[in-house]
Amino acid sequence: MTQPSFGVIGLAVMGENLALNVESRGFPIAVYNRTGEKTKTFMAERAQGKNVTATYSIEEFVGALARPRKILVMVKAGKPVDAVIQQLKPLLEPGDTIVDGGNSLYEDTERRTTELEGSGLGFVGMGVSGGEEGALHGPSLMPGGTKQSYRDLESIVTKIAAQVDDGPCVTYIGPGGAGHYVKMVHNGIEYGDMQLIAEAYDLLKNVLGLSNIQIADVFKEWNATEELNSFLIEITADIFTKIDPETGKGLVDVILDSAGQKGTGRWTVVTSLELGVPIPTIYAAVNARVISSFKDERVAAAKKLPSAVEPFGGNVQAFVDKVRDALYCSKMCSYAQGMALLSKASDEFGYNLKLDEIARIWKGGCIIQAGFLGKIQSAFIDNPKLANLLLSPEFKQSILDRQSAWREVLATSNKMGVPVPAFSASLDYFDSYRRARLPQNLTQAQRDYFGAHTYERTDQPRGEFFHSEWMKM
């Protein structure tokens, strides 16, 4: 057996699947898990007969790898990653590379890159999208950090990544924490996308009264369109066909309406506020998960705060079509916000992100893969400095053509008392972005009145500031 130079630490499902993916592409691997029983089970079951070397201590693991070593760490983000790095450092040699494949905060990745580069080791923070199946069969990979270390990994990651018409779904993202930053924003877009789909479902079920099978058929039809074809729409159609064996009901109907989160959506919101980039659809999606966790309070409030709703009296199929159009427009706003945030972060942090390449590697093996990512890719190829996707010829007219339906859906949801926070945030974003004048002139006047914060004038050059003594005028 050829001595492996690639190893995986951490054999939870994602670690196991990535390890098997690497081995299946012709690369022998070594594996290590803190709990030895997990390693034994993996070797006896999923890794049986494969070119995998099992190890049962960190020293044995490092010793099993040929130089230059390439070590993929798949443990929980935060302190566990630091703990593994500290165990590895004294055992590694210059030229060896550590790859963090978890959902680490980009600032932690920046710190780790600096620390390890200083000791002659390479470090790559690599976002991995695609879930368990993607990890096994071909994920979208977002590696950033030491460029030479990426080059050392390139022959492997280009083989294990999902493959689309224009190449493998992996590219060198940028220095430092760039890879994990892009994965974080990817997850923020994912939050927005999932919330928008949930709101569309809510309207179909609780405004129109469609059955689960009817809703499944609607999502199947939508997934067949160029505008809405995507992984998330596809799996949503499947979800509505699943029956709970214990109750005979649709499984989705017996799942508690309290959604969890692992932090990447919140991190996206925090960095957007720090950089001053509006991402209201993603804010709304994070907030929707937070308020969903107040289940007991919501149940109590529902008894005391009944909604004065109006029954739906329109054409059902016509409204289904309008929800489809509203979903498309809102999804485009979510992607536009995410790409605008990436553009600002690229300038602020010196990442030199290539937005067309980022759109390209999201086209396969990825949770947010969607048919229109090819158009997003083309938009940034045509204009790398495009300020906002809403201005792209690829999307501008299609949104303008659908905005009437978009507005009708929100008006109906308001009358019916069905909350659609992400739909609403998306339309507000569109309307705010396209208005030449917003009412913040009053906001700035108030700030100057009570705090002497100054203001700019419409009849003077930008950058000149003025203050008024409001009480004396």
Side-chain angles (χ1 to χ4, degrees), residues 321-400:
D321 293 341
K322 289 172 183 175
V323 174
R324 176 200 62 208
D325 289 346
L327 179 57
Y328 170 75
C329 292
S330 298
K331 280 165 66 77
M332 281 314 310
C333 285
S334 183
Y335 280 76
Q337 293 161 30
M339 299 309 270
L341 178 56
L342 288 177
S343 179
K344 181 62 179 289
S346 181
D347 293 340
E348 188 76 14
F349 303 137
Y351 287 156
N352 191 31
L353 300 179
K354 295 178 174 58
L355 299 184
D356 62 305
E357 269 289 275
I358 291 170
R360 184 190 68 77
I361 67 171
W362 288 348
K363 285 161 59 176
C366 182
I367 300 299
I368 64 169
Q369 68 183 71
F372 56 56
L373 278 164
K375 291 185 176 181
I376 294 178
Q377 179 188 3
S378 296
F380 285 111
I381 289 174
D382 294 342
N383 182 4
K385 296 297 183 182
L386 180 67
N388 194 291
L389 278 172
L390 299 181
L391 301 177
S392 166
E394 297 279 357
F395 301 108
K396 179 178 66 174
Q397 195 57 50
S398 62
I399 291 177
L400 291 175

Side-chain angles (χ1 to χ4, degrees), residues 166 289 334:
D166 49 1
R289 294 197 190 189
S334 183

Side-chain angles (χ1 to χ4, degrees), residues 177-242:
H180 276 140
Y181 193 95
V182 169
K183 178 56 163 57
M184 175 188 70
V185 175
H186 160 288
N187 284 20
I189 295 171
E190 179 184 308
Y191 271 58
D193 215 347
M194 293 174 70
Q195 177 62 25
L196 290 166
I197 292 170
E199 291 174 16
Y201 148 65
D202 201 5
L203 293 169
L204 297 178
K205 183 177 182 66
N206 294 308
V207 172
L208 298 183
L210 300 188
S211 69
N212 285 354
I213 295 303
Q214 289 173 316
I215 294 172
D217 289 340
V218 168
F219 278 99
K220 286 176 184 175
E221 290 174 11
W222 289 355
N223 194 51
T225 65
E226 182 182 11
E227 293 85 0
L228 291 180
N229 172 255
S230 68
F231 172 75
L232 284 171
I233 295 288
E234 178 184 358
I235 68 168
T236 299
D238 288 343
I239 284 169
F240 287 107
T241 65
K242 182 72 172 177

Side-chain angles (χ1 to χ4, degrees), residues 25 137-139 157-170 364-365:
R25 308 304 186 211
H137 299 295
V157 294
T158 53
K159 292 283 182 61
I160 69 171
Q163 308 292 315
V164 293
D165 290 344
D166 49 1
C169 292
V170 60

Side-chain angles (χ1 to χ4, degrees), residues 318-327 329 399-412 423 427:
F319 190 73
V320 168
D321 293 341
K322 289 172 183 175
V323 174
R324 176 200 62 208
D325 289 346
L327 179 57
C329 292
I399 291 177
L400 291 175
D401 291 343
R402 292 168 172 80
Q403 66 168 314
S404 177
W406 195 6
R407 296 180 193 283
E408 286 187 47
V409 167
L410 264 70
T412 300
F423 273 12
L427 183 57

